[in-house]
Amino acid sequence: MVERFVFARIQRIPDSTLRGLAERLARLVLENWFFALVFVLLWRFPYIVADLSGSQVKPSRPTGDSAFWQSEMARALTLACLAMSYNLLFGFSGIVSFGHALFFGAGGYVTFILMGHYDAGLQHKALVLVLLVALGLALFSRLRARALVVVTLSGVLLALLLLPAEGAISFWQAAAVALLLSLIVSLTSGVVTLRVRGIYFAMFTLALAEVFWVLAKSGTFRSYTGAEDGLAFRSLLPPALNVTPTADGSRLTMYHWTVVFFAIIFLAIRRYMSSPVGRVMLAIRDNEERAQTIGYHTLFYKVLTMVFAGAIATLSGLLFMIWATDKIVHPDTLSLAYTVDPLLNTLIGGVGTLTGPVIATLGLHLGETYLRNETFTLGTRVFGLLAVWQIIALAIAGALVGVFRHSLTRLGERLIGAGPRTPRYERLMLAYRGGVFVTLAAVLLLIGGQLRGEAEAVYNVADLWDLFLGALFVVVVMVLPHGIVGTWNRLWATRRLRRLERQMRQEREAAGASKP
């Protein structure tokens, strides 16, 4: 409706040049107004919390609701970037990796190990390594002379810029080295292991990540990694990146930089998937054999995507550790948890969608933080509306309808006596499914009311959060098989398609009626 109104007004512009500019500008605004609104809300989030809670945006001490939620929202945004990078692999490319946490934890470990134990002789070792790699490429690869010279000069230049010959290494140089090592690891592992598919590749990535996790926890390298105690970096962090001070606005500044980082990552993934490379990746995800038959080198595109996702995960992990309260890089950042959580967030939000992993990550992380210290009983009312046991009963009813939807559909077609192509089929089936849900919910509510005793146990939300995530995942998979955003996109696309079909049918009927 809005698009029709806007473009109808634009068509009235007499100048064709101005009309073209106005069309491009209107399309840009209509396609991105929601993302711009979200960016503004995230940017003003500390001030909104301060107004609602009566706290200060820049308190003299790191206390108060605004300062606390700045940290929590920043951590949630970095985890959302991690989920988007995993969705880039799993959702858009069809690559199942169980070792994505390796890149997430490597950002902090490599950066702060270099800053704490840097040796000036490392530059000479790096130059020798670059020359040996160049010699190996010249002997055993098919690179042309020009490409070999470019690779060698690039390696030498990076070694000279990132590894100083004397003095200490800066944070930015160490972070660049961490990013470069992440690119090398993802490139090497991709070239070696992407030739195998399915569970074999997934298990290899899991084994690779577990090796580094065990090494980080091992006492053998305690002087570097801190073993199970973690690597403390409070004294290594530059003052400009320290979010502990609040009176001078350091935390607020870092929060705004985190929002900018999140926006850049989101736009980069969006642009990548809209590019020809992204279209090829979608084709490989849907049918790799067909893409190979067309003539695409599928291994190259998969490795390129894996390198891109690994770089995003590395930068996200480094930023996540900067926001850590204790300023310690823990070995858990290399564990399987930071691969499973992005996977669950991707499945719950919507596989292969841009906003799905973001919505799931922000909602679950902020929800867990908000409800962390809350307790409840089965009779506690949520938002003053429904008791917890009533919500559970409704969820079970919805899950049952979702599980047996195919059987219910076949039974409903027999009852209403209409086929899928009849005009009233959708409305009748919607009413039928709604009636089945209401009946099941009423029965479960009656049973629950009889079984619920007078004395109720008190439950802690933090203790049951994993159980809640598992139940939410099961419900979403059964009721919304494409995730929250994925199911919504399909419903919206189906609605628009039916609207267009109805308009075309009406136009054909009007054209037929106008003929003599």
Side-chain angles (χ1 to χ4, degrees):
M1 184 67 70
V2 177
E3 296 180 6
R4 198 178 309 164
F5 175 80
V6 171
F7 285 105
R9 296 295 184 274
I10 292 176
Q11 293 302 321
R12 298 178 182 178
I13 299 177
D15 192 347
S16 60
T17 304
L18 292 178
R19 186 168 60 252
L21 292 175
E23 287 180 355
R24 287 194 292 269
L25 180 61
R27 197 172 302 279
L28 179 66
V29 172
L30 291 174
E31 291 178 354
N32 298 279
W33 68 269
F34 177 76
F35 303 118
L37 177 61
V38 171
F39 180 82
V40 172
L41 290 176
L42 290 175
W43 189 270
R44 298 293 301 176
F45 178 77
Y47 300 94
I48 296 174
V49 174
D51 292 339
L52 294 176
S53 62
S55 57
Q56 296 180 358
V57 178
K58 301 178 183 179
S60 57
R61 294 186 300 172
T63 57
D65 289 340
S66 181
F68 172 77
W69 285 106
Q70 287 175 40
S71 300
E72 293 302 323
M73 178 59 81
R75 278 191 279 266
L77 291 176
T78 56
L79 292 176
C81 292
L82 174 64
M84 286 191 292
S85 68
Y86 191 85
N87 184 46
L88 182 62
L89 284 178
F90 178 62
F92 290 115
S93 307
I95 301 173
V96 182
S97 172
F98 288 158
H100 204 54
L102 168 63
F103 305 102
F104 185 73
Y109 268 110
V110 174
T111 299
F112 296 114
I113 287 175
L114 280 175
M115 293 183 67
H117 302 274
Y118 181 73
D119 182 9
L122 190 60
Q123 184 188 84
H124 302 287
K125 298 177 183 178
L127 290 175
V128 172
L129 180 61
V130 169
L131 294 179
L132 289 177
V133 171
L135 180 61
L137 291 176
L139 294 176
F140 302 104
S141 70
R142 299 179 180 179
L143 286 178
R144 296 180 180 180
R146 179 180 299 180
L148 184 62
V149 171
V150 171
V151 170
T152 305
L153 291 180
S154 299
V156 171
L157 182 62
L158 287 174
L160 294 176
L161 290 177
L162 301 181
L163 301 174
E166 56 184 13
I169 189 171
S170 67
F171 171 82
W172 304 107
Q173 288 175 318
V177 172
L179 179 61
L180 181 61
L181 289 178
S182 172
L183 297 178
I184 293 174
V185 171
S186 58
L187 177 63
T188 305
S189 62
V191 171
V192 172
T193 62
L194 277 175
R195 299 180 185 276
V196 297
R197 302 179 185 177
I199 192 63
Y200 301 102
F201 173 76
M203 295 307 297
F204 177 86
T205 57
L206 174 61
L208 184 64
E210 290 297 301
V211 166
F212 283 93
W213 176 60
V214 171
L215 291 177
K217 292 179 61 178
S218 173
T220 306
F221 303 98
R222 178 178 292 274
S223 59
Y224 292 96
T225 64
E228 293 184 356
D229 296 330
L231 174 62
F233 60 89
R234 188 179 298 273
S235 60
L236 302 175
L237 193 65
L241 300 177
N242 191 359
V243 299
T244 303
T246 53
D248 59 352
S250 298
R251 183 186 296 252
L252 182 62
T253 302
M254 274 300 299
Y255 171 79
H256 286 157
W257 279 115
T258 305
V259 173
V260 172
F261 173 79
F262 167 77
I264 291 174
I265 295 300
F266 181 85
L267 293 176
I269 294 177
R270 183 187 179 190
R271 182 68 188 93
Y272 182 80
M273 295 312 302
S274 300
S275 66
V277 176
R279 300 301 180 187
V280 174
M281 286 309 308
L282 293 178
I284 294 174
R285 179 197 63 183
D286 296 335
N287 194 322
E288 184 173 355
E289 288 77 10
R290 183 181 299 173
Q292 290 176 341
T293 304
I294 295 174
Y296 290 110
H297 193 328
T298 58
L299 179 63
F300 168 77
Y301 290 98
K302 290 165 72 174
V303 170
L304 180 63
T305 303
M306 191 170 179
V307 169
F308 186 30
I312 295 174
T314 301
L315 295 176
S316 303
L318 180 58
L319 189 57
F320 179 80
M321 293 162 197
I322 290 176
W323 278 100
T325 305
D326 55 2
K327 297 296 181 289
I328 296 177
V329 183
H330 294 280
D332 291 342
T333 55
L334 293 167
S335 66
L336 186 60
Y338 284 95
T339 296
V340 174
D341 288 345
L343 172 61
L344 291 179
N345 292 331
T346 300
L347 293 173
I348 293 173
V351 178
T353 62
L354 285 172
T355 57
V358 176
I359 293 175
T361 304
L362 294 183
L364 293 176
H365 180 81
L366 297 179
E368 180 185 7
T369 304
Y370 182 77
L371 300 173
R372 183 181 299 159
N373 299 321
E374 296 293 329
T375 59
F376 68 94
T377 63
L378 292 179
T380 302
R381 293 189 174 274
V382 180
F383 302 114
L385 299 175
L386 296 175
V388 173
W389 70 272
Q390 294 172 337
I391 295 177
I392 294 175
L394 294 177
I396 294 175
L400 290 175
V401 173
V403 171
F404 299 103
R405 60 184 181 276
H406 297 298
S407 300
L408 292 174
T409 300
R410 290 194 294 268
L411 180 60
E413 291 176 352
R414 295 177 183 177
L415 293 176
I416 64 178
R421 297 185 179 277
T422 57
R424 301 177 59 191
Y425 174 79
E426 291 297 333
R427 284 177 290 179
L428 291 174
M429 287 301 299
L430 181 62
Y432 164 71
R433 290 170 183 163
V436 173
F437 172 76
V438 171
T439 303
L440 285 175
V443 172
L444 291 175
L445 289 174
L446 289 174
I447 296 175
Q450 295 295 326
L451 296 178
R452 190 173 65 91
E454 296 295 334
E456 294 183 343
V458 178
Y459 302 95
N460 193 326
V461 174
D463 297 335
L464 300 176
W465 187 256
D466 291 337
L467 177 62
F468 168 75
L469 286 181
L472 178 63
F473 174 73
V474 171
V475 170
V476 168
V477 168
M478 290 190 300
V479 180
L480 305 173
H482 304 287
I484 298 173
V485 177
T487 304
W488 169 260
N489 290 341
R490 286 175 177 266
L491 291 176
W492 182 255
T494 303
R495 182 181 176 184
R496 294 191 64 179
L497 180 61
R498 288 173 180 166
R499 187 191 308 150
L500 291 175
E501 290 176 350
R502 186 167 56 252
Q503 291 177 355
M504 294 176 61
R505 185 168 56 252
Q506 293 174 354
E507 292 176 357
R508 286 197 300 267
E509 292 175 354
S514 62
K515 292 182 179 180

